[in-house]
Amino acid sequence: MAAYYNTGTIAVTNGSTAVTGTGTSWAQIVRAGDQLIAPDGRSYVIAAVPSATSLTLSRAYLGATATAQTYDILFTAGRDADVATQLAALISAYQGIYDGPGQGKFGDGTLAAPGLRFAADLDTGFYRPGANQLAFAEGGVDRGRIYGRKNILGTVAQSGGVPTGAVIEGGTNANGDYVRFADGTQICGTTIQGLTTGAMTRAWPAAFAASPRVSAVTTSASVPRIVTVANNSATAIDIYVWDTAGGLTNGFASLTAFGRWF
């Protein structure tokens, strides 16, 4: 960078601190504290730079009024310190870029401002909704997750009706088997033995959001049995196993329930 600037010409007025330029670009180059070598051969400290074509001197111009004059503006030594300060600030700002995107590390982002987005479409891109999850946002709207063999099976979850966990969840416990799907569907299966004294209550292996639809059949191999149900709820059901004479029996029944977990 040159130590001076003298592009264009200037107009000065005796007794005035105002200097007018023609063909000058002072606003981006000249700063207060720089020195103007004026047409009268004197050096004047520049007090302000109002625009690209105007300067204000710290004291009135002593020479004769003149237009279309050549000049020189000498940059002060303080510019070196300013450059050093600006360079340090630039390095500090760049450090965050180097430590983050420079090493392929991006912020989690949100639906409205994805961590990896596009300059012309700032609410569309990829964001991280949770641990080990990657999701798409289009126009600030959740458009789904990226799934693979590591996260197809797992714990299903949802937020406001939008799936946020795995695609399929299954399990077995003392009450039977269940499978849940990301869309809210749930299926439970269980085998239960009837009582001769009344209803046998069985809790569902996984709770439903509301009473499910139930299919019940006898699994007795040698003699006919009839199965009826009562008090079907989101968490449990009562069953009765009957013989053909109309009496309660301790035969077995198989139940399949279909409903929703949210």
Side-chain angles (χ1 to χ4, degrees), residues 5 34 76 101 162 167 189 258:
Y5 181 86
D34 291 341
T76 62
V162 177
V167 177
F258 184 93

Side-chain angles (χ1 to χ4, degrees), residues 147-165:
Y147 289 97
R149 62 183 180 180
K150 291 185 177 180
N151 59 357
I152 289 179
L153 301 178
T155 301
V156 297
Q158 58 87 29
S159 176
V162 177
T164 58

